Amino acid sequence: MMSATDEKTMLIVEDDDALRARMAVAMEKRGFEVHTASSVAGGLGAISENAPGFAIVDLRLQDGNGLDVVKALESADPTARAMILTGYGDIPTAVAAARIGAVDYLSKPATADEIVDVLLTPPDQTPPAPENPVTPENARLQHIEAVFQEAGHNVSLAARLLNMHRRTLQRILKRNGVMADAAR
């Protein structure tokens, strides 16, 4: 019996239109037959129509959590290989992704070659380490930016959620250009 991973079909679930299109082109160049979706609902629909052999799924989507897509793919075809690609990496979510069947969890930006290396690594082997891993300082800044965005760019609310002084948060955001981006 042929498994879905023998076919090199891929589902990309990403709500950033430009990134989704770039990933689709990059994966097609690497021999995959690519289908895309911009939401959890779209990803679940694509899986129910025809479960792909591979999937790249964003963690945070407009209508929910990408882990739901990974779980549905694991249920539809246990041999399928899915990975989470996110700008909001944290250890508890990475562990949850692995428990429901994701083969890996990469932080954006990741190259197409890094993604393919992870997806095509046999299940009994360890995927290669990313060439440009996220530094602890970048991970901290990404977390601060995510909380700031979730707080609706409200510095006082974000500072409370982060358990930090408002002025300290303002300095961090200003130093890293986040305040200027939020003002646009």
Side-chain angles (χ1 to χ4, degrees):
M1 182 175 145
M2 190 163 84
S3 73
T5 54
D6 295 332
E7 298 177 22
K8 284 190 86 169
T9 55
M10 178 179 285
L11 173 63
I12 298 173
V13 184
E14 168 64 57
D15 55 4
D16 179 322
D17 296 337
L19 178 58
R20 186 176 63 249
R22 283 193 312 273
M23 278 197 299
V25 168
M27 294 303 142
E28 285 170 350
K29 286 181 180 178
R30 286 160 178 79
F32 289 92
E33 177 188 324
V34 178
H35 302 278
T36 63
S38 62
S39 64
V40 171
L44 295 176
I47 290 169
S48 68
E49 279 182 34
N50 189 16
F54 301 91
I56 303 168
V57 183
D58 189 9
L59 179 64
R60 292 186 181 180
L61 297 160
Q62 296 289 335
D63 64 339
N65 191 321
L67 294 177
D68 295 336
V69 177
V70 174
K71 188 184 288 186
L73 182 58
E74 171 72 13
S75 295
D77 183 358
T79 66
R81 298 183 52 83
M83 65 172 294
I84 295 290
L85 184 64
T86 185
Y88 305 101
D90 66 15
I91 292 171
T93 309
V95 170
R99 284 187 180 151
I100 62 169
V103 295
D104 211 332
Y105 184 94
L106 293 179
S107 293
K108 294 175 186 174
T111 68
D113 289 333
E114 288 173 333
I115 293 168
V116 170
D117 285 347
V118 165
L119 289 173
L120 295 182
T121 299
D124 60 338
Q125 295 179 18
T126 304
E131 290 179 23
N132 299 313
V134 176
T135 65
E137 180 59 30
N138 283 344
R140 177 178 177 262
L141 181 59
Q142 287 175 358
H143 175 69
I144 289 170
E145 288 179 22
V147 171
F148 181 60
Q149 287 178 354
E150 288 174 11
H153 298 118
N154 181 321
V155 175
S156 296
L157 175 58
R160 279 194 302 275
L161 293 170
L162 291 165
N163 197 27
M164 92 177 24
H165 195 278
R166 184 182 54 79
R167 284 189 223 139
T168 302
L169 177 58
Q170 282 178 313
R171 281 193 296 273
I172 291 169
L173 295 172
K174 186 175 181 181
R175 181 176 49 233
N176 291 287
V178 179
M179 291 290 285
D181 292 343
R184 288 184 211 163

Tab-separated table of all heavy atoms in Angstrom, residues 4-68:
chain	number	residue	atom	x	y	z
A	4	ALA	N	0.718	8.321	1.831
A	4	ALA	CA	0.581	9.685	1.306
A	4	ALA	C	1.938	10.351	1.114
A	4	ALA	O	2.108	11.170	0.217
A	4	ALA	CB	-0.293	10.524	2.231
A	5	THR	N	2.926	9.973	1.941
A	5	THR	CA	4.241	10.613	1.826
A	5	THR	C	4.989	10.153	0.576
A	5	THR	O	5.948	10.788	0.175
A	5	THR	CB	5.108	10.363	3.078
A	5	THR	OG1	5.180	8.970	3.321
A	5	THR	CG2	4.547	11.091	4.275
A	6	ASP	N	4.550	9.048	-0.052
A	6	ASP	CA	5.167	8.606	-1.297
A	6	ASP	C	4.789	9.526	-2.456
A	6	ASP	O	5.481	9.576	-3.460
A	6	ASP	CB	4.740	7.173	-1.628
A	6	ASP	CG	5.236	6.168	-0.599
A	6	ASP	OD1	6.276	6.428	0.026
A	6	ASP	OD2	4.567	5.143	-0.417
A	7	GLU	N	3.698	10.249	-2.337
A	7	GLU	CA	3.162	11.061	-3.430
A	7	GLU	C	3.736	12.468	-3.510
A	7	GLU	O	3.552	13.133	-4.529
A	7	GLU	CB	1.639	11.154	-3.299
A	7	GLU	CG	0.946	9.831	-3.407
A	7	GLU	CD	-0.541	9.962	-3.196
A	7	GLU	OE1	-1.095	11.058	-3.368
A	7	GLU	OE2	-1.156	8.949	-2.853
A	8	LYS	N	4.367	12.977	-2.472
A	8	LYS	CA	4.900	14.342	-2.413
A	8	LYS	C	3.819	15.395	-2.643
A	8	LYS	O	4.023	16.368	-3.360
A	8	LYS	CB	6.079	14.516	-3.360
A	8	LYS	CG	7.361	13.872	-2.798
A	8	LYS	CD	8.581	14.228	-3.579
A	8	LYS	CE	9.135	15.524	-3.083
A	8	LYS	NZ	10.459	15.842	-3.606
A	9	THR	N	2.659	15.177	-2.054
A	9	THR	CA	1.618	16.205	-2.050
A	9	THR	C	1.795	17.015	-0.780
A	9	THR	O	2.151	16.469	0.270
A	9	THR	CB	0.208	15.593	-2.082
A	9	THR	OG1	0.073	14.678	-0.987
A	9	THR	CG2	-0.045	14.864	-3.392
A	10	MET	N	1.554	18.326	-0.869
A	10	MET	CA	1.783	19.188	0.278
A	10	MET	C	0.643	20.176	0.455
A	10	MET	O	0.138	20.728	-0.518
A	10	MET	CB	3.086	19.960	0.120
A	10	MET	CG	3.366	20.931	1.277
A	10	MET	SD	4.920	21.805	1.082
A	10	MET	CE	6.065	20.501	1.505
A	11	LEU	N	0.293	20.398	1.711
A	11	LEU	CA	-0.675	21.418	2.079
A	11	LEU	C	0.074	22.494	2.860
A	11	LEU	O	0.779	22.193	3.813
A	11	LEU	CB	-1.795	20.826	2.946
A	11	LEU	CG	-2.794	21.814	3.535
A	11	LEU	CD1	-3.572	22.531	2.428
A	11	LEU	CD2	-3.749	21.087	4.484
A	12	ILE	N	-0.097	23.749	2.439
A	12	ILE	CA	0.475	24.875	3.163
A	12	ILE	C	-0.686	25.675	3.735
A	12	ILE	O	-1.546	26.139	2.987
A	12	ILE	CB	1.332	25.773	2.241
A	12	ILE	CG1	2.514	24.970	1.685
A	12	ILE	CG2	1.817	27.008	2.998
A	12	ILE	CD1	3.317	25.702	0.632
A	13	VAL	N	-0.729	25.797	5.064
A	13	VAL	CA	-1.784	26.556	5.734
A	13	VAL	C	-1.121	27.756	6.396
A	13	VAL	O	-0.420	27.620	7.395
A	13	VAL	CB	-2.535	25.699	6.776
A	13	VAL	CG1	-3.687	26.490	7.374
A	13	VAL	CG2	-3.043	24.401	6.152
A	14	GLU	N	-1.343	28.917	5.803
A	14	GLU	CA	-0.689	30.158	6.238
A	14	GLU	C	-1.625	31.313	5.918
A	14	GLU	O	-2.145	31.395	4.806
A	14	GLU	CB	0.645	30.310	5.499
A	14	GLU	CG	1.316	31.658	5.620
A	14	GLU	CD	1.744	32.002	7.023
A	14	GLU	OE1	2.510	31.229	7.638
A	14	GLU	OE2	1.300	33.058	7.524
A	15	ASP	N	-1.862	32.210	6.884
A	15	ASP	CA	-2.792	33.315	6.637
A	15	ASP	C	-2.132	34.554	6.044
A	15	ASP	O	-2.813	35.474	5.610
A	15	ASP	CB	-3.597	33.674	7.884
A	15	ASP	CG	-2.735	33.986	9.099
A	15	ASP	OD1	-1.502	34.001	8.989
A	15	ASP	OD2	-3.322	34.202	10.168
A	16	ASP	N	-0.810	34.582	5.941
A	16	ASP	CA	-0.111	35.672	5.265
A	16	ASP	C	-0.058	35.310	3.774
A	16	ASP	O	0.670	34.394	3.373
A	16	ASP	CB	1.291	35.820	5.849
A	16	ASP	CG	2.104	36.919	5.204
A	16	ASP	OD1	2.018	37.105	3.972
A	16	ASP	OD2	2.864	37.592	5.933
A	17	ASP	N	-0.838	36.033	2.960
A	17	ASP	CA	-0.976	35.698	1.542
A	17	ASP	C	0.360	35.664	0.807
A	17	ASP	O	0.629	34.739	0.039
A	17	ASP	CB	-1.913	36.688	0.835
A	17	ASP	CG	-3.339	36.626	1.369
A	17	ASP	OD1	-3.731	35.580	1.930
A	17	ASP	OD2	-4.067	37.623	1.219
A	18	ALA	N	1.200	36.661	1.036
A	18	ALA	CA	2.477	36.739	0.329
A	18	ALA	C	3.391	35.581	0.724
A	18	ALA	O	4.019	34.943	-0.139
A	18	ALA	CB	3.156	38.079	0.605
A	19	LEU	N	3.470	35.293	2.008
A	19	LEU	CA	4.319	34.196	2.480
A	19	LEU	C	3.804	32.859	1.947
A	19	LEU	O	4.590	32.016	1.499
A	19	LEU	CB	4.378	34.181	4.010
A	19	LEU	CG	5.189	33.054	4.639
A	19	LEU	CD1	6.635	33.070	4.143
A	19	LEU	CD2	5.144	33.156	6.155
A	20	ARG	N	2.491	32.659	1.990
A	20	ARG	CA	1.892	31.421	1.482
A	20	ARG	C	2.235	31.225	0.006
A	20	ARG	O	2.625	30.140	-0.411
A	20	ARG	CB	0.377	31.431	1.703
A	20	ARG	CG	-0.305	30.138	1.331
A	20	ARG	CD	-1.793	30.148	1.651
A	20	ARG	NE	-2.503	31.156	0.886
A	20	ARG	CZ	-3.056	32.261	1.399
A	20	ARG	NH1	-2.992	32.504	2.690
A	20	ARG	NH2	-3.677	33.124	0.621
A	21	ALA	N	2.122	32.283	-0.783
A	21	ALA	CA	2.425	32.192	-2.219
A	21	ALA	C	3.906	31.881	-2.452
A	21	ALA	O	4.246	31.043	-3.298
A	21	ALA	CB	2.026	33.486	-2.914
A	22	ARG	N	4.803	32.550	-1.696
A	22	ARG	CA	6.239	32.287	-1.850
A	22	ARG	C	6.589	30.849	-1.471
A	22	ARG	O	7.375	30.192	-2.151
A	22	ARG	CB	7.056	33.260	-0.999
A	22	ARG	CG	7.163	34.654	-1.582
A	22	ARG	CD	8.239	35.502	-0.889
A	22	ARG	NE	8.205	35.496	0.557
A	22	ARG	CZ	7.476	36.319	1.312
A	22	ARG	NH1	6.704	37.232	0.755
A	22	ARG	NH2	7.528	36.246	2.633
A	23	MET	N	6.003	30.367	-0.377
A	23	MET	CA	6.276	28.988	0.042
A	23	MET	C	5.764	27.997	-0.995
A	23	MET	O	6.425	26.999	-1.280
A	23	MET	CB	5.636	28.697	1.406
A	23	MET	CG	6.459	29.185	2.557
A	23	MET	SD	5.994	28.463	4.151
A	23	MET	CE	4.320	28.984	4.339
A	24	ALA	N	4.586	28.266	-1.561
A	24	ALA	CA	4.017	27.362	-2.564
A	24	ALA	C	4.940	27.255	-3.771
A	24	ALA	O	5.236	26.148	-4.251
A	24	ALA	CB	2.625	27.839	-2.975
A	25	VAL	N	5.432	28.388	-4.254
A	25	VAL	CA	6.344	28.384	-5.405
A	25	VAL	C	7.630	27.624	-5.053
A	25	VAL	O	8.111	26.789	-5.829
A	25	VAL	CB	6.651	29.830	-5.856
A	25	VAL	CG1	7.807	29.862	-6.848
A	25	VAL	CG2	5.412	30.475	-6.459
A	26	ALA	N	8.184	27.903	-3.873
A	26	ALA	CA	9.425	27.242	-3.454
A	26	ALA	C	9.249	25.732	-3.344
A	26	ALA	O	10.126	24.961	-3.754
A	26	ALA	CB	9.899	27.817	-2.122
A	27	MET	N	8.117	25.284	-2.823
A	27	MET	CA	7.880	23.845	-2.660
A	27	MET	C	7.594	23.175	-4.005
A	27	MET	O	8.001	22.035	-4.236
A	27	MET	CB	6.750	23.594	-1.665
A	27	MET	CG	7.087	24.013	-0.251
A	27	MET	SD	8.582	23.202	0.369
A	27	MET	CE	9.314	24.528	1.288
A	28	GLU	N	6.912	23.882	-4.903
A	28	GLU	CA	6.684	23.334	-6.245
A	28	GLU	C	8.012	23.144	-6.970
A	28	GLU	O	8.215	22.149	-7.663
A	28	GLU	CB	5.749	24.245	-7.050
A	28	GLU	CG	4.307	24.133	-6.601
A	28	GLU	CD	3.379	25.190	-7.195
A	28	GLU	OE1	3.877	26.161	-7.822
A	28	GLU	OE2	2.158	25.046	-7.028
A	29	LYS	N	8.940	24.084	-6.798
A	29	LYS	CA	10.266	23.964	-7.405
A	29	LYS	C	11.027	22.767	-6.856
A	29	LYS	O	11.944	22.259	-7.500
A	29	LYS	CB	11.087	25.236	-7.166
A	29	LYS	CG	10.649	26.406	-8.008
A	29	LYS	CD	11.517	27.630	-7.737
A	29	LYS	CE	11.090	28.807	-8.583
A	29	LYS	NZ	11.886	30.009	-8.288
A	30	ARG	N	10.664	22.320	-5.678
A	30	ARG	CA	11.332	21.178	-5.049
A	30	ARG	C	10.558	19.879	-5.270
A	30	ARG	O	10.792	18.889	-4.595
A	30	ARG	CB	11.540	21.464	-3.565
A	30	ARG	CG	12.672	22.480	-3.360
A	30	ARG	CD	12.622	23.159	-2.014
A	30	ARG	NE	13.732	24.070	-1.849
A	30	ARG	CZ	13.799	25.304	-2.378
A	30	ARG	NH1	12.803	25.759	-3.106
A	30	ARG	NH2	14.847	26.077	-2.182
A	31	GLY	N	9.607	19.903	-6.205
A	31	GLY	CA	8.937	18.677	-6.622
A	31	GLY	C	7.637	18.327	-5.918
A	31	GLY	O	7.115	17.230	-6.107
A	32	PHE	N	7.097	19.219	-5.129
A	32	PHE	CA	5.845	18.935	-4.438
A	32	PHE	C	4.649	19.414	-5.260
A	32	PHE	O	4.726	20.440	-5.931
A	32	PHE	CB	5.804	19.638	-3.070
A	32	PHE	CG	6.738	19.047	-2.059
A	32	PHE	CD1	8.028	19.536	-1.919
A	32	PHE	CD2	6.334	17.995	-1.253
A	32	PHE	CE1	8.897	19.004	-0.978
A	32	PHE	CE2	7.192	17.451	-0.316
A	32	PHE	CZ	8.484	17.955	-0.187
A	33	GLU	N	3.557	18.675	-5.172
A	33	GLU	CA	2.270	19.136	-5.686
A	33	GLU	C	1.618	19.871	-4.523
A	33	GLU	O	1.262	19.258	-3.514
A	33	GLU	CB	1.402	17.960	-6.122
A	33	GLU	CG	0.034	18.363	-6.598
A	33	GLU	CD	-0.869	17.171	-6.835
A	33	GLU	OE1	-0.375	16.116	-7.296
A	33	GLU	OE2	-2.070	17.293	-6.537
A	34	VAL	N	1.483	21.192	-4.640
A	34	VAL	CA	1.099	22.033	-3.507
A	34	VAL	C	-0.354	22.476	-3.576
A	34	VAL	O	-0.841	22.883	-4.624
A	34	VAL	CB	2.017	23.275	-3.430
A	34	VAL	CG1	1.603	24.194	-2.286
A	34	VAL	CG2	3.472	22.853	-3.268
A	35	HIS	N	-1.016	22.396	-2.426
A	35	HIS	CA	-2.348	22.966	-2.222
A	35	HIS	C	-2.209	23.922	-1.046
A	35	HIS	O	-1.412	23.677	-0.135
A	35	HIS	CB	-3.378	21.875	-1.914
A	35	HIS	CG	-3.462	20.856	-2.996
A	35	HIS	ND1	-4.204	21.034	-4.133
A	35	HIS	CD2	-2.846	19.649	-3.139
A	35	HIS	CE1	-4.059	19.987	-4.921
A	35	HIS	NE2	-3.235	19.132	-4.337
A	36	THR	N	-2.969	24.998	-1.056
A	36	THR	CA	-2.838	25.982	0.013
A	36	THR	C	-4.188	26.286	0.654
A	36	THR	O	-5.237	26.078	0.052
A	36	THR	CB	-2.232	27.302	-0.514
A	36	THR	OG1	-3.116	27.879	-1.470
A	36	THR	CG2	-0.868	27.071	-1.128
A	37	ALA	N	-4.102	26.791	1.874
A	37	ALA	CA	-5.281	27.255	2.609
A	37	ALA	C	-4.831	28.416	3.490
A	37	ALA	O	-3.674	28.487	3.896
A	37	ALA	CB	-5.862	26.134	3.462
A	38	SER	N	-5.764	29.316	3.766
A	38	SER	CA	-5.417	30.491	4.570
A	38	SER	C	-6.025	30.453	5.963
A	38	SER	O	-5.919	31.419	6.702
A	38	SER	CB	-5.877	31.763	3.847
A	38	SER	OG	-7.284	31.731	3.694
A	39	SER	N	-6.649	29.336	6.331
A	39	SER	CA	-7.325	29.265	7.619
A	39	SER	C	-7.371	27.829	8.120
A	39	SER	O	-7.123	26.883	7.361
A	39	SER	CB	-8.762	29.789	7.472
A	39	SER	OG	-9.492	28.945	6.596
A	40	VAL	N	-7.726	27.685	9.389
A	40	VAL	CA	-7.926	26.350	9.954
A	40	VAL	C	-9.032	25.639	9.181
A	40	VAL	O	-8.881	24.483	8.772
A	40	VAL	CB	-8.276	26.432	11.461
A	40	VAL	CG1	-8.690	25.070	11.992
A	40	VAL	CG2	-7.098	26.978	12.262
A	41	ALA	N	-10.137	26.333	8.946
A	41	ALA	CA	-11.263	25.731	8.224
A	41	ALA	C	-10.841	25.270	6.829
A	41	ALA	O	-11.198	24.166	6.392
A	41	ALA	CB	-12.427	26.720	8.132
A	42	GLY	N	-10.075	26.105	6.128
A	42	GLY	CA	-9.602	25.736	4.805
A	42	GLY	C	-8.664	24.537	4.846
A	42	GLY	O	-8.725	23.650	3.993
A	43	GLY	N	-7.790	24.496	5.852
A	43	GLY	CA	-6.882	23.365	6.012
A	43	GLY	C	-7.621	22.076	6.312
A	43	GLY	O	-7.330	21.023	5.740
A	44	LEU	N	-8.613	22.151	7.194
A	44	LEU	CA	-9.401	20.961	7.531
A	44	LEU	C	-10.169	20.470	6.312
A	44	LEU	O	-10.278	19.259	6.072
A	44	LEU	CB	-10.355	21.265	8.691
A	44	LEU	CG	-9.690	21.606	10.027
A	44	LEU	CD1	-10.734	21.989	11.068
A	44	LEU	CD2	-8.820	20.463	10.527
A	45	GLY	N	-10.703	21.410	5.522
A	45	GLY	CA	-11.424	21.036	4.303
A	45	GLY	C	-10.520	20.342	3.303
A	45	GLY	O	-10.905	19.340	2.687
A	46	ALA	N	-9.309	20.864	3.128
A	46	ALA	CA	-8.355	20.263	2.195
A	46	ALA	C	-7.971	18.855	2.642
A	46	ALA	O	-7.844	17.946	1.818
A	46	ALA	CB	-7.116	21.146	2.063
A	47	ILE	N	-7.803	18.672	3.935
A	47	ILE	CA	-7.444	17.346	4.458
A	47	ILE	C	-8.589	16.366	4.260
A	47	ILE	O	-8.375	15.216	3.883
A	47	ILE	CB	-7.034	17.439	5.946
A	47	ILE	CG1	-5.696	18.159	6.057
A	47	ILE	CG2	-6.961	16.057	6.597
A	47	ILE	CD1	-5.311	18.558	7.469
A	48	SER	N	-9.824	16.812	4.477
A	48	SER	CA	-10.951	15.901	4.320
A	48	SER	C	-11.167	15.517	2.851
A	48	SER	O	-11.607	14.418	2.555
A	48	SER	CB	-12.231	16.490	4.915
A	48	SER	OG	-12.657	17.601	4.164
A	49	GLU	N	-10.822	16.419	1.921
A	49	GLU	CA	-10.934	16.113	0.495
A	49	GLU	C	-9.893	15.095	0.072
A	49	GLU	O	-10.190	14.129	-0.620
A	49	GLU	CB	-10.750	17.377	-0.348
A	49	GLU	CG	-11.978	18.238	-0.448
A	49	GLU	CD	-11.719	19.450	-1.338
A	49	GLU	OE1	-10.946	19.343	-2.314
A	49	GLU	OE2	-12.307	20.506	-1.037
A	50	ASN	N	-8.645	15.344	0.439
A	50	ASN	CA	-7.545	14.468	0.045
A	50	ASN	C	-6.353	14.774	0.939
A	50	ASN	O	-5.661	15.761	0.719
A	50	ASN	CB	-7.195	14.687	-1.433
A	50	ASN	CG	-6.220	13.659	-1.945
A	50	ASN	OD1	-6.010	12.625	-1.327
A	50	ASN	ND2	-5.603	13.950	-3.075
A	51	ALA	N	-6.113	13.934	1.910
A	51	ALA	CA	-5.034	14.171	2.865
A	51	ALA	C	-3.683	14.179	2.154
A	51	ALA	O	-3.357	13.238	1.429
A	51	ALA	CB	-5.047	13.110	3.962
A	52	PRO	N	-2.909	15.246	2.333
A	52	PRO	CA	-1.594	15.322	1.689
A	52	PRO	C	-0.571	14.487	2.447
A	52	PRO	O	-0.779	14.105	3.597
A	52	PRO	CB	-1.259	16.807	1.798
A	52	PRO	CG	-1.923	17.231	3.063
A	52	PRO	CD	-3.212	16.442	3.121
A	53	GLY	N	0.557	14.256	1.801
A	53	GLY	CA	1.644	13.538	2.460
A	53	GLY	C	2.441	14.426	3.394
A	53	GLY	O	3.043	13.955	4.345
A	54	PHE	N	2.403	15.741	3.111
A	54	PHE	CA	3.190	16.692	3.889
A	54	PHE	C	2.375	17.952	4.132
A	54	PHE	O	1.513	18.301	3.331
A	54	PHE	CB	4.479	17.071	3.126
A	54	PHE	CG	5.351	15.900	2.813
A	54	PHE	CD1	5.218	15.208	1.614
A	54	PHE	CD2	6.310	15.465	3.720
A	54	PHE	CE1	6.020	14.118	1.327
A	54	PHE	CE2	7.114	14.381	3.440
A	54	PHE	CZ	6.969	13.700	2.237
A	55	ALA	N	2.677	18.639	5.234
A	55	ALA	CA	1.983	19.889	5.520
A	55	ALA	C	2.910	20.842	6.264
A	55	ALA	O	3.706	20.423	7.108
A	55	ALA	CB	0.730	19.645	6.355
A	56	ILE	N	2.782	22.110	5.902
A	56	ILE	CA	3.449	23.198	6.617
A	56	ILE	C	2.307	24.046	7.159
A	56	ILE	O	1.485	24.547	6.385
A	56	ILE	CB	4.323	24.057	5.686
A	56	ILE	CG1	5.365	23.198	4.981
A	56	ILE	CG2	4.988	25.187	6.475
A	56	ILE	CD1	6.064	23.926	3.838
A	57	VAL	N	2.246	24.187	8.474
A	57	VAL	CA	1.093	24.839	9.094
A	57	VAL	C	1.553	25.955	10.023
A	57	VAL	O	2.403	25.739	10.888
A	57	VAL	CB	0.255	23.808	9.898
A	57	VAL	CG1	-0.979	24.458	10.487
A	57	VAL	CG2	-0.129	22.616	9.021
A	58	ASP	N	0.985	27.139	9.818
A	58	ASP	CA	1.240	28.261	10.719
A	58	ASP	C	0.519	27.970	12.032
A	58	ASP	O	-0.574	27.396	12.038
A	58	ASP	CB	0.715	29.555	10.093
A	58	ASP	CG	1.120	30.805	10.866
A	58	ASP	OD1	1.947	30.715	11.795
A	58	ASP	OD2	0.601	31.882	10.540
A	59	LEU	N	1.109	28.347	13.137
A	59	LEU	CA	0.506	28.085	14.442
A	59	LEU	C	-0.721	28.947	14.688
A	59	LEU	O	-1.784	28.460	15.050
A	59	LEU	CB	1.530	28.309	15.558
A	59	LEU	CG	1.019	28.095	16.976
A	59	LEU	CD1	0.605	26.645	17.182
A	59	LEU	CD2	2.083	28.491	17.975
A	60	ARG	N	-0.573	30.250	14.476
A	60	ARG	CA	-1.670	31.182	14.756
A	60	ARG	C	-2.316	31.621	13.457
A	60	ARG	O	-1.707	32.305	12.648
A	60	ARG	CB	-1.155	32.398	15.510
A	60	ARG	CG	-0.694	32.048	16.897
A	60	ARG	CD	-0.337	33.274	17.667
A	60	ARG	NE	0.114	32.895	18.991
A	60	ARG	CZ	0.496	33.748	19.895
A	60	ARG	NH1	0.474	35.037	19.635
A	60	ARG	NH2	0.894	33.342	21.072
A	61	LEU	N	-3.560	31.227	13.294
A	61	LEU	CA	-4.325	31.586	12.111
A	61	LEU	C	-5.514	32.434	12.538
A	61	LEU	O	-5.908	32.423	13.703
A	61	LEU	CB	-4.780	30.317	11.387
A	61	LEU	CG	-3.612	29.451	10.866
A	61	LEU	CD1	-4.063	28.029	10.615
A	61	LEU	CD2	-3.031	30.064	9.611
A	62	GLN	N	-6.081	33.161	11.591
A	62	GLN	CA	-7.176	34.081	11.909
A	62	GLN	C	-8.334	33.382	12.621
A	62	GLN	O	-8.948	33.951	13.512
A	62	GLN	CB	-7.706	34.741	10.627
A	62	GLN	CG	-6.692	35.618	9.926
A	62	GLN	CD	-6.399	36.898	10.681
A	62	GLN	OE1	-7.210	37.383	11.445
A	62	GLN	NE2	-5.222	37.450	10.454
A	63	ASP	N	-8.630	32.145	12.230
A	63	ASP	CA	-9.800	31.468	12.793
A	63	ASP	C	-9.458	30.379	13.803
A	63	ASP	O	-10.302	29.557	14.141
A	63	ASP	CB	-10.670	30.893	11.673
A	63	ASP	CG	-9.969	29.804	10.874
A	63	ASP	OD1	-8.718	29.744	10.894
A	63	ASP	OD2	-10.668	29.018	10.215
A	64	GLY	N	-8.220	30.348	14.281
A	64	GLY	CA	-7.911	29.353	15.301
A	64	GLY	C	-6.452	28.954	15.333
A	64	GLY	O	-5.562	29.684	14.905
A	65	ASN	N	-6.229	27.747	15.817
A	65	ASN	CA	-4.903	27.227	16.098
A	65	ASN	C	-4.510	26.194	15.051
A	65	ASN	O	-5.256	25.239	14.802
A	65	ASN	CB	-4.934	26.596	17.493
A	65	ASN	CG	-3.576	26.253	18.010
A	65	ASN	OD1	-2.706	25.793	17.272
A	65	ASN	ND2	-3.378	26.458	19.303
A	66	GLY	N	-3.329	26.361	14.459
A	66	GLY	CA	-2.846	25.425	13.457
A	66	GLY	C	-2.652	24.011	13.978
A	66	GLY	O	-2.623	23.058	13.194
A	67	LEU	N	-2.543	23.855	15.298
A	67	LEU	CA	-2.409	22.501	15.851
A	67	LEU	C	-3.624	21.645	15.520
A	67	LEU	O	-3.511	20.423	15.387
A	67	LEU	CB	-2.192	22.561	17.364
A	67	LEU	CG	-0.871	23.189	17.831
A	67	LEU	CD1	-0.819	23.244	19.350
A	67	LEU	CD2	0.328	22.454	17.270
A	68	ASP	N	-4.793	22.276	15.354
A	68	ASP	CA	-5.999	21.535	14.969
A	68	ASP	C	-5.839	20.913	13.584
A	68	ASP	O	-6.329	19.818	13.320
A	68	ASP	CB	-7.232	22.450	14.995
A	68	ASP	CG	-7.562	22.940	16.398
A	68	ASP	OD1	-7.178	22.263	17.383
A	68	ASP	OD2	-8.188	24.005	16.514
